[in-house]
PDB file of all heavy atoms in Angstrom:
ATOM      1  N   MET A   1     108.984  26.444 -12.341  1.00 68.00           N
ATOM      2  CA  MET A   1     108.475  26.370 -13.644  1.00 68.00           C
ATOM      3  C   MET A   1     107.106  25.626 -13.627  1.00 68.00           C
ATOM      4  O   MET A   1     106.978  24.615 -12.889  1.00 68.00           O
ATOM      5  CB  MET A   1     109.399  25.790 -14.605  1.00 68.00           C
ATOM      6  CG  MET A   1     108.918  25.589 -16.013  1.00 68.00           C
ATOM      7  SD  MET A   1     110.084  24.953 -17.158  1.00 68.00           S
ATOM      8  CE  MET A   1     110.392  26.327 -18.196  1.00 68.00           C
ATOM      9  N   ASN A   2     106.159  26.072 -14.379  1.00 87.00           N
ATOM     10  CA  ASN A   2     104.894  25.392 -14.497  1.00 87.00           C
ATOM     11  C   ASN A   2     104.968  24.018 -15.207  1.00 87.00           C
ATOM     12  O   ASN A   2     105.536  23.930 -16.295  1.00 87.00           O
ATOM     13  CB  ASN A   2     103.946  26.323 -15.325  1.00 87.00           C
ATOM     14  CG  ASN A   2     102.583  25.763 -15.339  1.00 87.00           C
ATOM     15  OD1 ASN A   2     102.284  24.691 -14.983  1.00 87.00           O
ATOM     16  ND2 ASN A   2     101.695  26.711 -15.800  1.00 87.00           N
ATOM     17  N   ALA A   3     104.510  22.923 -14.420  1.00 86.00           N
ATOM     18  CA  ALA A   3     104.630  21.585 -14.925  1.00 86.00           C
ATOM     19  C   ALA A   3     103.877  21.388 -16.273  1.00 86.00           C
ATOM     20  O   ALA A   3     104.380  20.721 -17.238  1.00 86.00           O
ATOM     21  CB  ALA A   3     104.214  20.611 -13.920  1.00 86.00           C
ATOM     22  N   THR A   4     102.826  21.979 -16.435  1.00 87.00           N
ATOM     23  CA  THR A   4     101.988  21.922 -17.731  1.00 87.00           C
ATOM     24  C   THR A   4     102.700  22.470 -18.817  1.00 87.00           C
ATOM     25  O   THR A   4     102.744  21.902 -19.904  1.00 87.00           O
ATOM     26  CB  THR A   4     100.554  22.536 -17.476  1.00 87.00           C
ATOM     27  OG1 THR A   4      99.841  21.911 -16.388  1.00 87.00           O
ATOM     28  CG2 THR A   4      99.738  22.417 -18.767  1.00 87.00           C
ATOM     29  N   LEU A   5     103.286  23.655 -18.607  1.00 88.00           N
ATOM     30  CA  LEU A   5     103.993  24.354 -19.665  1.00 88.00           C
ATOM     31  C   LEU A   5     105.237  23.454 -20.062  1.00 88.00           C
ATOM     32  O   LEU A   5     105.553  23.292 -21.253  1.00 88.00           O
ATOM     33  CB  LEU A   5     104.574  25.671 -19.182  1.00 88.00           C
ATOM     34  CG  LEU A   5     105.407  26.492 -20.080  1.00 88.00           C
ATOM     35  CD1 LEU A   5     104.695  26.761 -21.409  1.00 88.00           C
ATOM     36  CD2 LEU A   5     105.880  27.648 -19.429  1.00 88.00           C
ATOM     37  N   LEU A   6     105.860  22.821 -19.084  1.00 89.00           N
ATOM     38  CA  LEU A   6     107.007  21.970 -19.351  1.00 89.00           C
ATOM     39  C   LEU A   6     106.624  20.772 -20.169  1.00 89.00           C
ATOM     40  O   LEU A   6     107.305  20.387 -21.177  1.00 89.00           O
ATOM     41  CB  LEU A   6     107.719  21.525 -18.026  1.00 89.00           C
ATOM     42  CG  LEU A   6     108.971  20.630 -18.160  1.00 89.00           C
ATOM     43  CD1 LEU A   6     110.051  21.348 -19.045  1.00 89.00           C
ATOM     44  CD2 LEU A   6     109.420  20.245 -16.858  1.00 89.00           C
ATOM     45  N   ARG A   7     105.543  20.093 -19.828  1.00 87.00           N
ATOM     46  CA  ARG A   7     105.060  18.949 -20.520  1.00 87.00           C
ATOM     47  C   ARG A   7     104.649  19.334 -21.953  1.00 87.00           C
ATOM     48  O   ARG A   7     105.039  18.541 -22.973  1.00 87.00           O
ATOM     49  CB  ARG A   7     103.910  18.321 -19.889  1.00 87.00           C
ATOM     50  CG  ARG A   7     104.262  17.507 -18.708  1.00 87.00           C
ATOM     51  CD  ARG A   7     103.108  16.643 -18.252  1.00 87.00           C
ATOM     52  NE  ARG A   7     101.969  17.486 -18.071  1.00 87.00           N
ATOM     53  CZ  ARG A   7     101.136  17.404 -16.926  1.00 87.00           C
ATOM     54  NH1 ARG A   7     101.417  16.606 -15.950  1.00 87.00           N
ATOM     55  NH2 ARG A   7     100.040  18.159 -16.887  1.00 87.00           N
ATOM     56  N   CYS A   8     103.932  20.448 -22.185  1.00 83.00           N
ATOM     57  CA  CYS A   8     103.554  20.810 -23.488  1.00 83.00           C
ATOM     58  C   CYS A   8     104.797  21.215 -24.370  1.00 83.00           C
ATOM     59  O   CYS A   8     104.794  20.866 -25.540  1.00 83.00           O
ATOM     60  CB  CYS A   8     102.727  22.102 -23.360  1.00 83.00           C
ATOM     61  SG  CYS A   8     101.052  21.697 -22.788  1.00 83.00           S
ATOM     62  N   SER A   9     105.707  21.739 -23.715  1.00 86.00           N
ATOM     63  CA  SER A   9     107.093  22.125 -24.413  1.00 86.00           C
ATOM     64  C   SER A   9     107.733  20.843 -24.866  1.00 86.00           C
ATOM     65  O   SER A   9     108.287  20.751 -26.012  1.00 86.00           O
ATOM     66  CB  SER A   9     108.009  22.978 -23.613  1.00 86.00           C
ATOM     67  OG  SER A   9     107.324  24.234 -23.233  1.00 86.00           O
ATOM     68  N   ILE A  10     107.780  19.859 -23.975  1.00 88.00           N
ATOM     69  CA  ILE A  10     108.454  18.649 -24.363  1.00 88.00           C
ATOM     70  C   ILE A  10     107.698  17.934 -25.460  1.00 88.00           C
ATOM     71  O   ILE A  10     108.325  17.414 -26.458  1.00 88.00           O
ATOM     72  CB  ILE A  10     108.575  17.693 -23.107  1.00 88.00           C
ATOM     73  CG1 ILE A  10     109.657  18.341 -22.142  1.00 88.00           C
ATOM     74  CG2 ILE A  10     108.919  16.275 -23.482  1.00 88.00           C
ATOM     75  CD1 ILE A  10     109.640  17.567 -20.784  1.00 88.00           C
ATOM     76  N   ILE A  11     106.382  17.841 -25.455  1.00 80.00           N
ATOM     77  CA  ILE A  11     105.568  17.242 -26.547  1.00 80.00           C
ATOM     78  C   ILE A  11     105.800  17.964 -27.874  1.00 80.00           C
ATOM     79  O   ILE A  11     106.021  17.279 -28.794  1.00 80.00           O
ATOM     80  CB  ILE A  11     104.146  17.221 -26.146  1.00 80.00           C
ATOM     81  CG1 ILE A  11     103.870  16.193 -25.008  1.00 80.00           C
ATOM     82  CG2 ILE A  11     103.279  16.795 -27.324  1.00 80.00           C
ATOM     83  CD1 ILE A  11     102.548  16.259 -24.287  1.00 80.00           C
ATOM     84  N   ALA A  12     105.856  19.269 -27.784  1.00 79.00           N
ATOM     85  CA  ALA A  12     106.057  20.004 -29.055  1.00 79.00           C
ATOM     86  C   ALA A  12     107.519  19.788 -29.667  1.00 79.00           C
ATOM     87  O   ALA A  12     107.674  19.591 -30.806  1.00 79.00           O
ATOM     88  CB  ALA A  12     105.873  21.569 -28.790  1.00 79.00           C
ATOM     89  N   ALA A  13     108.434  19.745 -28.664  1.00 84.00           N
ATOM     90  CA  ALA A  13     109.786  19.519 -29.099  1.00 84.00           C
ATOM     91  C   ALA A  13     110.018  18.014 -29.666  1.00 84.00           C
ATOM     92  O   ALA A  13     110.709  17.857 -30.633  1.00 84.00           O
ATOM     93  CB  ALA A  13     110.796  19.691 -27.894  1.00 84.00           C
ATOM     94  N   LEU A  14     109.269  17.068 -29.157  1.00 81.00           N
ATOM     95  CA  LEU A  14     109.361  15.745 -29.676  1.00 81.00           C
ATOM     96  C   LEU A  14     108.809  15.621 -31.075  1.00 81.00           C
ATOM     97  O   LEU A  14     109.276  14.982 -31.904  1.00 81.00           O
ATOM     98  CB  LEU A  14     108.559  14.786 -28.710  1.00 81.00           C
ATOM     99  CG  LEU A  14     109.369  14.358 -27.452  1.00 81.00           C
ATOM    100  CD1 LEU A  14     108.510  13.489 -26.574  1.00 81.00           C
ATOM    101  CD2 LEU A  14     110.634  13.669 -27.860  1.00 81.00           C
ATOM    102  N   GLY A  15     107.692  16.412 -31.297  1.00 74.00           N
ATOM    103  CA  GLY A  15     107.147  16.486 -32.761  1.00 74.00           C
ATOM    104  C   GLY A  15     108.177  16.998 -33.675  1.00 74.00           C
ATOM    105  O   GLY A  15     108.399  16.453 -34.791  1.00 74.00           O
ATOM    106  N   GLY A  16     108.893  18.091 -33.300  1.00 77.00           N
ATOM    107  CA  GLY A  16     109.926  18.577 -34.182  1.00 77.00           C
ATOM    108  C   GLY A  16     111.055  17.664 -34.426  1.00 77.00           C
ATOM    109  O   GLY A  16     111.600  17.460 -35.510  1.00 77.00           O
ATOM    110  N   LEU A  17     111.441  16.955 -33.288  1.00 82.00           N
ATOM    111  CA  LEU A  17     112.495  15.969 -33.331  1.00 82.00           C
ATOM    112  C   LEU A  17     112.096  14.811 -34.332  1.00 82.00           C
ATOM    113  O   LEU A  17     112.865  14.350 -35.071  1.00 82.00           O
ATOM    114  CB  LEU A  17     112.829  15.372 -31.907  1.00 82.00           C
ATOM    115  CG  LEU A  17     113.748  14.208 -31.877  1.00 82.00           C
ATOM    116  CD1 LEU A  17     115.189  14.858 -32.182  1.00 82.00           C
ATOM    117  CD2 LEU A  17     113.736  13.569 -30.603  1.00 82.00           C
ATOM    118  N   LEU A  18     110.866  14.353 -34.159  1.00 75.00           N
ATOM    119  CA  LEU A  18     110.424  13.260 -34.997  1.00 75.00           C
ATOM    120  C   LEU A  18     110.461  13.630 -36.478  1.00 75.00           C
ATOM    121  O   LEU A  18     110.793  12.862 -37.348  1.00 75.00           O
ATOM    122  CB  LEU A  18     109.063  12.855 -34.634  1.00 75.00           C
ATOM    123  CG  LEU A  18     108.911  11.990 -33.319  1.00 75.00           C
ATOM    124  CD1 LEU A  18     107.429  11.675 -33.037  1.00 75.00           C
ATOM    125  CD2 LEU A  18     109.610  10.634 -33.504  1.00 75.00           C
ATOM    126  N   PHE A  19     110.014  14.817 -36.796  1.00 75.00           N
ATOM    127  CA  PHE A  19     109.957  15.294 -38.122  1.00 75.00           C
ATOM    128  C   PHE A  19     111.352  15.452 -38.695  1.00 75.00           C
ATOM    129  O   PHE A  19     111.707  15.095 -39.841  1.00 75.00           O
ATOM    130  CB  PHE A  19     109.107  16.489 -38.303  1.00 75.00           C
ATOM    131  CG  PHE A  19     108.965  16.883 -39.741  1.00 75.00           C
ATOM    132  CD1 PHE A  19     108.138  16.113 -40.533  1.00 75.00           C
ATOM    133  CD2 PHE A  19     109.582  17.950 -40.364  1.00 75.00           C
ATOM    134  CE1 PHE A  19     107.992  16.294 -41.937  1.00 75.00           C
ATOM    135  CE2 PHE A  19     109.426  18.284 -41.608  1.00 75.00           C
ATOM    136  CZ  PHE A  19     108.605  17.437 -42.453  1.00 75.00           C
ATOM    137  N   GLY A  20     112.260  16.060 -37.949  1.00 79.00           N
ATOM    138  CA  GLY A  20     113.633  16.192 -38.291  1.00 79.00           C
ATOM    139  C   GLY A  20     114.285  14.854 -38.445  1.00 79.00           C
ATOM    140  O   GLY A  20     115.077  14.672 -39.463  1.00 79.00           O
ATOM    141  N   PHE A  21     113.976  13.927 -37.610  1.00 78.00           N
ATOM    142  CA  PHE A  21     114.570  12.540 -37.753  1.00 78.00           C
ATOM    143  C   PHE A  21     114.146  11.926 -39.034  1.00 78.00           C
ATOM    144  O   PHE A  21     114.911  11.302 -39.775  1.00 78.00           O
ATOM    145  CB  PHE A  21     114.241  11.719 -36.565  1.00 78.00           C
ATOM    146  CG  PHE A  21     114.747  10.344 -36.600  1.00 78.00           C
ATOM    147  CD1 PHE A  21     116.183  10.099 -36.428  1.00 78.00           C
ATOM    148  CD2 PHE A  21     113.990   9.229 -36.887  1.00 78.00           C
ATOM    149  CE1 PHE A  21     116.693   8.789 -36.437  1.00 78.00           C
ATOM    150  CE2 PHE A  21     114.414   7.938 -36.894  1.00 78.00           C
ATOM    151  CZ  PHE A  21     115.705   7.764 -36.714  1.00 78.00           C
ATOM    152  N   ASP A  22     112.765  12.054 -39.288  1.00 74.00           N
ATOM    153  CA  ASP A  22     112.235  11.375 -40.533  1.00 74.00           C
ATOM    154  C   ASP A  22     112.871  12.069 -41.775  1.00 74.00           C
ATOM    155  O   ASP A  22     113.097  11.387 -42.750  1.00 74.00           O
ATOM    156  CB  ASP A  22     110.673  11.676 -40.596  1.00 74.00           C
ATOM    157  CG  ASP A  22     110.087  11.075 -41.802  1.00 74.00           C
ATOM    158  OD1 ASP A  22     109.992   9.845 -41.847  1.00 74.00           O
ATOM    159  OD2 ASP A  22     109.677  11.864 -42.661  1.00 74.00           O
ATOM    160  N   THR A  23     113.065  13.402 -41.782  1.00 74.00           N
ATOM    161  CA  THR A  23     113.655  14.041 -42.975  1.00 74.00           C
ATOM    162  C   THR A  23     115.075  13.559 -43.157  1.00 74.00           C
ATOM    163  O   THR A  23     115.508  13.338 -44.276  1.00 74.00           O
ATOM    164  CB  THR A  23     113.605  15.576 -42.705  1.00 74.00           C
ATOM    165  OG1 THR A  23     112.258  15.998 -42.491  1.00 74.00           O
ATOM    166  CG2 THR A  23     114.240  16.316 -43.867  1.00 74.00           C
ATOM    167  N   ALA A  24     115.720  13.473 -42.133  1.00 78.00           N
ATOM    168  CA  ALA A  24     117.217  12.903 -42.312  1.00 78.00           C
ATOM    169  C   ALA A  24     117.212  11.521 -42.692  1.00 78.00           C
ATOM    170  O   ALA A  24     118.026  11.063 -43.624  1.00 78.00           O
ATOM    171  CB  ALA A  24     117.934  13.075 -40.851  1.00 78.00           C
ATOM    172  N   VAL A  25     116.349  10.681 -42.240  1.00 78.00           N
ATOM    173  CA  VAL A  25     116.341   9.206 -42.553  1.00 78.00           C
ATOM    174  C   VAL A  25     115.970   9.054 -44.096  1.00 78.00           C
ATOM    175  O   VAL A  25     116.590   8.341 -44.842  1.00 78.00           O
ATOM    176  CB  VAL A  25     115.367   8.434 -41.676  1.00 78.00           C
ATOM    177  CG1 VAL A  25     115.112   7.025 -42.253  1.00 78.00           C
ATOM    178  CG2 VAL A  25     115.940   8.331 -40.297  1.00 78.00           C
ATOM    179  N   ILE A  26     114.866   9.769 -44.508  1.00 77.00           N
ATOM    180  CA  ILE A  26     114.431   9.616 -45.909  1.00 77.00           C
ATOM    181  C   ILE A  26     115.457  10.170 -46.829  1.00 77.00           C
ATOM    182  O   ILE A  26     115.629   9.666 -47.894  1.00 77.00           O
ATOM    183  CB  ILE A  26     113.103  10.259 -46.094  1.00 77.00           C
ATOM    184  CG1 ILE A  26     112.371   9.705 -47.426  1.00 77.00           C
ATOM    185  CG2 ILE A  26     113.065  11.730 -46.132  1.00 77.00           C
ATOM    186  CD1 ILE A  26     111.987   8.350 -47.420  1.00 77.00           C
ATOM    187  N   SER A  27     116.254  11.248 -46.419  1.00 74.00           N
ATOM    188  CA  SER A  27     117.230  11.730 -47.373  1.00 74.00           C
ATOM    189  C   SER A  27     118.375  10.739 -47.535  1.00 74.00           C
ATOM    190  O   SER A  27     119.015  10.830 -48.624  1.00 74.00           O
ATOM    191  CB  SER A  27     117.801  13.059 -46.763  1.00 74.00           C
ATOM    192  OG  SER A  27     116.855  14.024 -46.649  1.00 74.00           O
ATOM    193  N   GLY A  28     118.526   9.978 -46.584  1.00 78.00           N
ATOM    194  CA  GLY A  28     119.643   8.872 -46.699  1.00 78.00           C
ATOM    195  C   GLY A  28     119.262   7.657 -47.471  1.00 78.00           C
ATOM    196  O   GLY A  28     120.098   6.713 -47.788  1.00 78.00           O
ATOM    197  N   THR A  29     117.954   7.551 -47.897  1.00 77.00           N
ATOM    198  CA  THR A  29     117.443   6.334 -48.517  1.00 77.00           C
ATOM    199  C   THR A  29     117.030   6.625 -49.978  1.00 77.00           C
ATOM    200  O   THR A  29     116.443   5.684 -50.601  1.00 77.00           O
ATOM    201  CB  THR A  29     116.195   5.790 -47.782  1.00 77.00           C
ATOM    202  OG1 THR A  29     115.172   6.783 -47.835  1.00 77.00           O
ATOM    203  CG2 THR A  29     116.493   5.493 -46.365  1.00 77.00           C
ATOM    204  N   THR A  30     117.341   7.776 -50.537  1.00 82.00           N
ATOM    205  CA  THR A  30     116.820   8.053 -51.914  1.00 82.00           C
ATOM    206  C   THR A  30     117.436   7.021 -52.974  1.00 82.00           C
ATOM    207  O   THR A  30     116.664   6.693 -53.807  1.00 82.00           O
ATOM    208  CB  THR A  30     117.244   9.487 -52.272  1.00 82.00           C
ATOM    209  OG1 THR A  30     118.612   9.692 -52.165  1.00 82.00           O
ATOM    210  CG2 THR A  30     116.491  10.480 -51.471  1.00 82.00           C
ATOM    211  N   GLU A  31     118.640   6.639 -52.852  1.00 84.00           N
ATOM    212  CA  GLU A  31     119.202   5.638 -53.766  1.00 84.00           C
ATOM    213  C   GLU A  31     118.448   4.311 -53.611  1.00 84.00           C
ATOM    214  O   GLU A  31     118.122   3.713 -54.671  1.00 84.00           O
ATOM    215  CB  GLU A  31     120.714   5.498 -53.626  1.00 84.00           C
ATOM    216  CG  GLU A  31     121.554   6.515 -54.054  1.00 84.00           C
ATOM    217  CD  GLU A  31     121.325   6.861 -55.509  1.00 84.00           C
ATOM    218  OE1 GLU A  31     121.258   5.968 -56.317  1.00 84.00           O
ATOM    219  OE2 GLU A  31     121.165   7.978 -55.878  1.00 84.00           O
ATOM    220  N   GLN A  32     118.190   3.933 -52.447  1.00 85.00           N
ATOM    221  CA  GLN A  32     117.409   2.677 -52.342  1.00 85.00           C
ATOM    222  C   GLN A  32     115.954   2.777 -52.780  1.00 85.00           C
ATOM    223  O   GLN A  32     115.424   1.824 -53.356  1.00 85.00           O
ATOM    224  CB  GLN A  32     117.366   2.164 -50.843  1.00 85.00           C
ATOM    225  CG  GLN A  32     118.769   1.681 -50.299  1.00 85.00           C
ATOM    226  CD  GLN A  32     119.691   2.955 -49.951  1.00 85.00           C
ATOM    227  OE1 GLN A  32     119.231   3.940 -49.821  1.00 85.00           O
ATOM    228  NE2 GLN A  32     120.896   2.595 -49.830  1.00 85.00           N
ATOM    229  N   LEU A  33     115.355   3.927 -52.651  1.00 85.00           N
ATOM    230  CA  LEU A  33     114.016   4.147 -53.115  1.00 85.00           C
ATOM    231  C   LEU A  33     114.027   4.144 -54.719  1.00 85.00           C
ATOM    232  O   LEU A  33     113.056   3.547 -55.252  1.00 85.00           O
ATOM    233  CB  LEU A  33     113.466   5.477 -52.622  1.00 85.00           C
ATOM    234  CG  LEU A  33     113.078   5.673 -51.193  1.00 85.00           C
ATOM    235  CD1 LEU A  33     112.865   7.062 -50.769  1.00 85.00           C
ATOM    236  CD2 LEU A  33     111.898   4.715 -50.850  1.00 85.00           C
ATOM    237  N   ARG A  34     115.080   4.640 -55.244  1.00 88.00           N
ATOM    238  CA  ARG A  34     115.156   4.583 -56.714  1.00 88.00           C
ATOM    239  C   ARG A  34     115.197   3.067 -57.181  1.00 88.00           C
ATOM    240  O   ARG A  34     114.499   2.741 -58.164  1.00 88.00           O
ATOM    241  CB  ARG A  34     116.443   5.308 -57.239  1.00 88.00           C
ATOM    242  CG  ARG A  34     116.361   6.734 -57.166  1.00 88.00           C
ATOM    243  CD  ARG A  34     117.722   7.371 -57.596  1.00 88.00           C
ATOM    244  NE  ARG A  34     117.837   8.642 -57.121  1.00 88.00           N
ATOM    245  CZ  ARG A  34     117.912   9.695 -57.915  1.00 88.00           C
ATOM    246  NH1 ARG A  34     117.845   9.579 -59.203  1.00 88.00           N
ATOM    247  NH2 ARG A  34     118.023  10.887 -57.262  1.00 88.00           N
ATOM    248  N   GLU A  35     116.046   2.272 -56.527  1.00 87.00           N
ATOM    249  CA  GLU A  35     116.218   0.858 -56.862  1.00 87.00           C
ATOM    250  C   GLU A  35     114.866   0.093 -56.583  1.00 87.00           C
ATOM    251  O   GLU A  35     114.415  -0.616 -57.485  1.00 87.00           O
ATOM    252  CB  GLU A  35     117.318   0.337 -56.145  1.00 87.00           C
ATOM    253  CG  GLU A  35     118.743   0.877 -56.474  1.00 87.00           C
ATOM    254  CD  GLU A  35     119.767   0.220 -55.682  1.00 87.00           C
ATOM    255  OE1 GLU A  35     119.631  -0.853 -55.054  1.00 87.00           O
ATOM    256  OE2 GLU A  35     120.829   0.908 -55.565  1.00 87.00           O
ATOM    257  N   VAL A  36     114.357   0.180 -55.405  1.00 86.00           N
ATOM    258  CA  VAL A  36     113.289  -0.648 -54.918  1.00 86.00           C
ATOM    259  C   VAL A  36     111.934  -0.312 -55.720  1.00 86.00           C
ATOM    260  O   VAL A  36     111.259  -1.207 -56.257  1.00 86.00           O
ATOM    261  CB  VAL A  36     112.973  -0.535 -53.498  1.00 86.00           C
ATOM    262  CG1 VAL A  36     111.799  -1.242 -53.023  1.00 86.00           C
ATOM    263  CG2 VAL A  36     114.134  -1.164 -52.699  1.00 86.00           C
ATOM    264  N   PHE A  37     111.653   0.934 -55.785  1.00 87.00           N
ATOM    265  CA  PHE A  37     110.407   1.380 -56.517  1.00 87.00           C
ATOM    266  C   PHE A  37     110.587   1.832 -57.917  1.00 87.00           C
ATOM    267  O   PHE A  37     109.633   2.208 -58.609  1.00 87.00           O
ATOM    268  CB  PHE A  37     109.702   2.413 -55.604  1.00 87.00           C
ATOM    269  CG  PHE A  37     109.342   1.922 -54.300  1.00 87.00           C
ATOM    270  CD1 PHE A  37     109.741   2.604 -53.105  1.00 87.00           C
ATOM    271  CD2 PHE A  37     108.466   0.883 -54.045  1.00 87.00           C
ATOM    272  CE1 PHE A  37     109.442   2.172 -51.847  1.00 87.00           C
ATOM    273  CE2 PHE A  37     108.121   0.396 -52.904  1.00 87.00           C
ATOM    274  CZ  PHE A  37     108.562   1.061 -51.703  1.00 87.00           C
ATOM    275  N   GLY A  38     111.777   1.933 -58.469  1.00 86.00           N
ATOM    276  CA  GLY A  38     112.103   2.401 -59.774  1.00 86.00           C
ATOM    277  C   GLY A  38     111.658   3.864 -59.919  1.00 86.00           C
ATOM    278  O   GLY A  38     111.062   4.241 -60.965  1.00 86.00           O
ATOM    279  N   LEU A  39     112.035   4.695 -58.971  1.00 86.00           N
ATOM    280  CA  LEU A  39     111.652   6.067 -59.060  1.00 86.00           C
ATOM    281  C   LEU A  39     112.716   6.999 -59.657  1.00 86.00           C
ATOM    282  O   LEU A  39     113.909   6.725 -59.543  1.00 86.00           O
ATOM    283  CB  LEU A  39     111.409   6.543 -57.619  1.00 86.00           C
ATOM    284  CG  LEU A  39     110.291   5.886 -56.777  1.00 86.00           C
ATOM    285  CD1 LEU A  39     110.295   6.364 -55.383  1.00 86.00           C
ATOM    286  CD2 LEU A  39     108.931   6.055 -57.476  1.00 86.00           C
ATOM    287  N   GLU A  40     112.273   8.050 -60.242  1.00 85.00           N
ATOM    288  CA  GLU A  40     113.135   9.101 -60.710  1.00 85.00           C
ATOM    289  C   GLU A  40     112.460  10.409 -60.670  1.00 85.00           C
ATOM    290  O   GLU A  40     111.166  10.439 -60.511  1.00 85.00           O
ATOM    291  CB  GLU A  40     113.419   8.857 -62.262  1.00 85.00           C
ATOM    292  CG  GLU A  40     114.272   7.585 -62.521  1.00 85.00           C
ATOM    293  CD  GLU A  40     115.640   7.716 -61.992  1.00 85.00           C
ATOM    294  OE1 GLU A  40     116.234   8.844 -61.826  1.00 85.00           O
ATOM    295  OE2 GLU A  40     116.207   6.707 -61.623  1.00 85.00           O
ATOM    296  N   GLY A  41     113.136  11.491 -60.578  1.00 86.00           N
ATOM    297  CA  GLY A  41     112.559  12.811 -60.696  1.00 86.00           C
ATOM    298  C   GLY A  41     111.461  13.138 -59.762  1.00 86.00           C
ATOM    299  O   GLY A  41     111.535  13.087 -58.562  1.00 86.00           O
ATOM    300  N   VAL A  42     110.342  13.354 -60.441  1.00 90.00           N
ATOM    301  CA  VAL A  42     109.096  13.804 -59.649  1.00 90.00           C
ATOM    302  C   VAL A  42     108.580  12.732 -58.685  1.00 90.00           C
ATOM    303  O   VAL A  42     108.223  12.966 -57.545  1.00 90.00           O
ATOM    304  CB  VAL A  42     107.948  14.162 -60.683  1.00 90.00           C
ATOM    305  CG1 VAL A  42     106.641  14.409 -59.955  1.00 90.00           C
ATOM    306  CG2 VAL A  42     108.384  15.305 -61.537  1.00 90.00           C
ATOM    307  N   GLY A  43     108.619  11.488 -59.141  1.00 88.00           N
ATOM    308  CA  GLY A  43     108.242  10.351 -58.202  1.00 88.00           C
ATOM    309  C   GLY A  43     109.053  10.332 -56.944  1.00 88.00           C
ATOM    310  O   GLY A  43     108.578  10.179 -55.867  1.00 88.00           O
ATOM    311  N   LEU A  44     110.362  10.476 -57.072  1.00 88.00           N
ATOM    312  CA  LEU A  44     111.307  10.463 -55.921  1.00 88.00           C
ATOM    313  C   LEU A  44     111.008  11.654 -55.066  1.00 88.00           C
ATOM    314  O   LEU A  44     110.866  11.581 -53.782  1.00 88.00           O
ATOM    315  CB  LEU A  44     112.688  10.356 -56.381  1.00 88.00           C
ATOM    316  CG  LEU A  44     113.767  10.300 -55.323  1.00 88.00           C
ATOM    317  CD1 LEU A  44     113.591   9.023 -54.453  1.00 88.00           C
ATOM    318  CD2 LEU A  44     115.239  10.419 -55.888  1.00 88.00           C
ATOM    319  N   GLY A  45     110.860  12.782 -55.665  1.00 87.00           N
ATOM    320  CA  GLY A  45     110.666  14.036 -54.937  1.00 87.00           C
ATOM    321  C   GLY A  45     109.298  13.993 -54.177  1.00 87.00           C
ATOM    322  O   GLY A  45     109.194  14.412 -53.020  1.00 87.00           O
ATOM    323  N   PHE A  46     108.230  13.496 -54.859  1.00 89.00           N
ATOM    324  CA  PHE A  46     106.942  13.285 -54.182  1.00 89.00           C
ATOM    325  C   PHE A  46     106.990  12.293 -53.036  1.00 89.00           C
ATOM    326  O   PHE A  46     106.372  12.501 -51.961  1.00 89.00           O
ATOM    327  CB  PHE A  46     105.867  12.997 -55.180  1.00 89.00           C
ATOM    328  CG  PHE A  46     104.394  12.885 -54.637  1.00 89.00           C
ATOM    329  CD1 PHE A  46     103.886  14.128 -54.394  1.00 89.00           C
ATOM    330  CD2 PHE A  46     103.802  11.769 -54.324  1.00 89.00           C
ATOM    331  CE1 PHE A  46     102.547  14.195 -53.856  1.00 89.00           C
ATOM    332  CE2 PHE A  46     102.510  11.825 -53.813  1.00 89.00           C
ATOM    333  CZ  PHE A  46     101.931  13.024 -53.590  1.00 89.00           C
TER     334      PHE A  46
END
C-alpha cells in the first residue's frame, strides 16, 4: 500500500473522528449550557 495514501487517509479519518467526538460531547452538555449561559431555543441551537 502507498504510504502517502495511508497517511492522507489517517489524517482525513482523524478529522471525521474529531468532529464526531465534538458533536457527541456538545450534545451531552446542553443542560449545562442552558444553566451556565442562560440559553434557550435558538441560542442553544446556534
